[in-house]
Amino acid sequence: MTDNVVHLFKTPVSTTDEGTAPVPGPAPDAADMTVVPVWVRSGRTVRRVVTHDRTRDAGRLVARHSLYMVGGTRIVARRAWDGRTGARYERMLRAAEAVGNYEAAGDWEERLHRFRSDRHRRRMELLAAPERIVKGAAIGAGGGVGTLLVIGVALAIANTNPGDVVTPLMALVDLIRLLVVITTVVWGPLVAAAPWVALLGVWAVGRHRGAAPQWAMPAGSRTEDAGAPITPSVVVTALRDLGVAPLRAAIREMGDAGAAMLGPIRIAGCGVEVDVTLPSGVSTNEIQGRRRKLAENLSRHEHEVFVTIPQAARTVRLWIADSGALDEPIGPSPLVTDDTMTADYVKGRAPWGQDLRGDAAALSLYQRHLLITGLSNQGKTVALRSLALWVALDRSVQFLMGDLKGVGDWAMFDGLASTLIQGPTDEHVIQVTEMVEGAVGEMNRRLQAPPGTTFPPLIVVVDEAQVAFMCPVKDEDKRPYGGSKSNSRYFMAVRKIHNQGRAVNVLMWQGTQDPTDQNLPKLVREGAHTRASLALGTESQARMALGDKAVDGGAAPNLLRPGLDRGTLVVASDGIAVPAGQASLTVRTHYVDDDQANAITTRAKALRDGVTTLRVIDRGEDRDPLADIAAVVADAPRVLTQDVLKRLAVLNEDAYGSWTNSDLKRVLEAEGADPYKSDGRMVVGRDRVARALANRTGTDSASAAE
């Protein structure tokens, strides 16, 4: 028989077109004959059925509703236990002790004592209750029967029928008999239905409280809590499941009272903020190091949760964004919306953007060196430029600018900046280096001025400064323009301004990208008073950009999302309002495009008499002092001699950096263009210099003709 069965599986069968009886087909080759045992095919079928999506959904359904009843029973039992005992007060007492709030612990202990006293009194009253019930029933029954007899006598007299005396009593007996009949009929179904009603009740409680685990929930509803409101229980649960054993144990001891760790949950901009006092044995850096897991426990993305260290000891401050809120743009800059806005370099603050709480973030620039860094194409230039646009609305501010990208991001400052160099080549690096060295010369001149002399702010802006630090070119004395050695020209010039420039209002602003020790030396980055960083790749870069203190305090530009968080930066500075205890502030900066920047610089130019912008620094050996003087005074009829000296130093530090008033006077007197007083101050007249230059040119031409 076995052979027949095997033969049946081996022999292929064909069917006629009319669906008649099967006809044996041609015999297959021996190589094509595969015998599949029945138990193998049955096992595969069972496996397919067990692993099918419908089977899994059905299994989850059964498990989910079963666990609803189990969880609901546990919750109801817990509530009943809490209601009958002092367990709730004991948990609150332990929670207060765990967070070190001994005043609250004493209050809960007093409440527990009152609860136990009241419970004892009720129990003692319950012991005497049967006697009171019997006495009351006897008195009530006697009084009731007497009342019914009185009513019966009244009925008998009224009806002249003595039998009516017992009519009220018989009516009462009939009512009792009816109630007994009804109870007899209903009692059986009630007893049968009571367990099911109880199960339905605990199921409803479990379903309402979500007592089933996530794996048992329907696939479509497992993420429905994403973006759910932040409540104390949500925060406590997220902390409990964070993976910190001492924290989990402390919360388990507290039970539902784990919320005692939390301060008030406050609305803070597009999210909420809450301070969490950690129990003993849990450090703040353990919470910071698990930011991603904490965010996921709160049903948020990592970038939507910020963990900082406030002023209170053993406390972390959680800022939790509304789901998706950080992906929405902020409003336009006040620089764009307010055409009448002006700036005050000394007392004002630049409107830079909004912090995470939705409050305006304004930065003081007064006597502060600035460094902004981040990955490429994250909004560094726009963030740096917006500060320059605001301070340009103060007519006293002067600029020296070098854009080592050279794509026109700073072109609108032509006519505002005394020098504007744009380009990425080594030649542009050389010119920018000499521009910064010229600012060093101006700084030295100011430092040597008489005490009490005030100077207008001179801001040196270098965007893409990493190009300068990485430049391999050397000058004729073999001194490198780039690098970070003691003979590196750009590095040393920046260091000199960082060391002493602030005292005489000579400031250094730099923008760099993708910082390393090579393209952003340690001494340079630590010389900036205001340090800001957009998205970065690693924590080590974040420490380079902002410093160890800010990163240890919760600053994490490396956790910003490149591309998605463009324009969002972390600021470490005393020039911006940072919440007490924090070392940094996250700011979403306003975006000011090129057209808007052009409109703002047009307003800034209208505040000034006119600025001649130098685009190339001439480094030739043979200088014509009179021609250079004519070039720097060409924008005004009269220019103060001090301003002429500064412009000459910017034009060529080597030739004019050491000039004094005596040198300027000597050259002009020799050419017949003597300085003169105007409103009590020595000035150089543009027309005098132009005539002297024209006369000299005519004399030279006549001599050549002879």
Side-chain angles (χ1 to χ4, degrees), residues 140-156 162-178:
V145 170
T147 302
L148 292 175
L149 289 175
V150 171
I151 295 174
V153 170
L155 287 173
D164 288 341
V165 173
V166 295
T167 298
L169 288 173
M170 297 307 296
L172 177 62
V173 171
D174 292 338
L175 176 62
I176 293 173
R177 183 170 57 246
L178 177 62

Side-chain angles (χ1 to χ4, degrees), residues 477-498:
D477 297 328
K478 303 300 181 181
R479 295 174 57 203
Y481 286 92
S484 57
K485 297 181 179 179
S486 59
N487 63 343
S488 299
R489 293 181 59 176
Y490 180 80
F491 169 75
M492 291 305 299
V494 172
R495 286 291 300 137
K496 290 176 181 177
I497 294 178
H498 279 176

Side-chain angles (χ1 to χ4, degrees), residues 177-379:
R177 183 170 57 246
L178 177 62
L179 291 177
V180 170
V181 172
I182 293 174
T183 303
T184 304
V185 173
V186 175
W187 181 255
L190 284 178
V191 171
W196 301 103
V197 173
L199 284 177
L200 181 62
V202 296
W203 173 86
V205 172
R207 184 175 182 272
H208 178 71
R209 293 291 298 271
Q214 280 294 310
W215 62 264
M217 301 299 288
S221 64
R222 292 177 205 170
T223 58
E224 65 183 7
D225 59 343
I230 300 299
T231 61
S233 61
V234 169
V235 177
V236 171
T237 303
L239 293 169
R240 183 197 65 195
D241 298 339
L242 203 54
V244 181
L247 179 60
R248 184 179 183 87
I251 293 176
R252 187 184 297 113
E253 287 293 324
M254 300 177 198
D256 291 342
M261 299 189 304
L262 309 183
I265 297 180
R266 304 177 295 273
I267 300 296
C270 57
V272 296
E273 185 178 72
V274 59
D275 288 350
V276 180
T277 302
L278 301 176
S280 178
V282 182
S283 64
T284 55
N285 61 353
E286 288 181 287
I287 308 300
Q288 285 183 310
R290 290 171 169 81
R291 174 182 169 185
R292 173 176 294 180
K293 189 171 184 179
L294 177 62
E296 292 171 351
N297 290 348
L298 292 166
S299 302
R300 296 293 191 272
H301 295 291
E302 184 178 12
H303 71 277
E304 294 176 329
V305 174
F306 288 82
V307 184
T308 55
I309 310 300
Q311 197 168 10
R314 211 174 65 200
T315 303
V316 293
R317 177 169 294 162
L318 307 181
W319 185 85
I320 307 161
D322 297 336
S323 186
L326 294 183
D327 297 327
E328 299 294 330
I330 64 173
S333 170
L335 291 170
V336 177
T337 58
D338 187 359
D339 293 339
T340 63
M341 175 177 282
T342 58
D344 185 344
Y345 162 76
V346 177
K347 299 180 181 179
R349 290 177 178 263
W352 211 6
Q354 294 179 0
D355 62 16
L356 296 178
R357 297 165 182 80
D359 299 328
L363 180 67
S364 172
L365 305 175
Y366 178 63
Q367 292 188 345
R368 289 179 176 88
H369 302 303
L370 176 67
L371 172 66
I372 299 180
T373 187
L375 297 178
S376 178
N377 196 32
Q378 298 304 308

Side-chain angles (χ1 to χ4, degrees), residues 382-537:
V382 172
L384 180 60
R385 188 177 67 182
S386 64
L387 298 177
L389 289 171
W390 176 80
V391 79
L393 296 174
D394 184 338
R395 60 179 299 168
S396 67
V397 176
Q398 303 170 1
F399 292 103
L400 302 177
M401 291 185 169
D403 175 16
L404 293 176
K405 184 188 298 180
V407 295
D409 290 335
W410 297 85
M412 65 286 301
F413 282 87
D414 191 352
L416 276 177
S418 301
T419 301
L420 177 60
I421 298 169
Q422 303 179 87
T425 66
D426 290 342
E427 179 62 26
H428 292 102
V429 172
I430 294 172
Q431 294 182 16
V432 167
T433 301
E434 294 178 348
M435 176 190 76
V436 178
E437 290 174 339
V440 173
E442 168 63 14
M443 177 190 73
N444 291 333
R445 187 190 66 80
R446 294 183 177 189
L447 289 170
Q448 297 171 12
T453 305
T454 58
F455 302 99
L458 174 62
I459 300 177
V460 183
V461 181
V462 178
D463 195 12
E464 306 295 341
Q466 76 279 356
V467 177
F469 286 113
M470 299 301 291
C471 180
V473 177
K474 297 182 179 181
D475 62 14
E476 60 275 5
D477 297 328
K478 303 300 181 181
R479 295 174 57 203
Y481 286 92
S484 57
K485 297 181 179 179
S486 59
N487 63 343
S488 299
R489 293 181 59 176
Y490 180 80
F491 169 75
M492 291 305 299
V494 172
R495 286 291 300 137
K496 290 176 181 177
I497 294 178
H498 279 176
N499 288 339
Q500 296 178 303
R502 173 185 157 287
V504 288
N505 280 332
V506 177
L507 305 179
M508 190 77 207
W509 291 6
Q510 296 182 96
T512 70
Q513 68 179 16
D514 202 9
T516 65
D517 283 329
Q518 289 71 39
N519 64 24
L520 187 59
K522 178 180 176 66
L523 292 177
V524 169
R525 59 183 186 249
E526 291 186 351
H529 302 99
T530 296
R531 299 166 71 173
S533 175
L534 295 108
L536 289 173

Side-chain angles (χ1 to χ4, degrees), residues 674-704:
D674 303 23
Y676 61 95
K677 281 192 175 183
S678 176
D679 295 330
R681 305 183 69 181
M682 295 299 294
V683 299
V684 176
R686 179 183 60 189
D687 295 340
R688 291 189 180 188
V689 175
R691 282 197 301 271
L693 189 61
N695 292 337
R696 189 181 64 180
T697 302
T699 303
D700 293 341
S701 300
S703 299

Side-chain angles (χ1 to χ4, degrees), residues 20 48 55 74 151 241 290 361:
T20 58
R48 244 188 340 265
T55 306
R74 179 180 56 82
I151 295 174
D241 298 339
R290 290 171 169 81

Side-chain angles (χ1 to χ4, degrees), residues 597-665:
N598 278 307
I600 296 169
T601 53
T602 300
R603 287 158 41 198
K605 292 172 186 176
L607 300 175
R608 291 166 168 78
D609 294 332
V611 177
T612 301
T613 299
L614 302 177
R615 299 176 183 83
V616 177
I617 298 178
D618 188 359
R619 303 186 310 280
E621 294 297 331
D622 298 329
R623 307 294 309 181
D624 183 348
L626 187 62
D628 288 343
I629 293 172
V632 300
V633 301
D635 60 333
R638 295 178 299 277
V639 180
L640 296 174
T641 54
Q642 293 293 333
D643 290 341
V644 173
L645 289 172
K646 288 189 290 185
R647 296 182 183 185
L648 288 173
V650 172
L651 182 65
N652 190 288
E653 169 65 19
D654 295 335
Y656 303 116
S658 61
W659 269 34
T660 63
N661 285 323
S662 300
D663 297 320
L664 179 62
K665 182 179 180 181

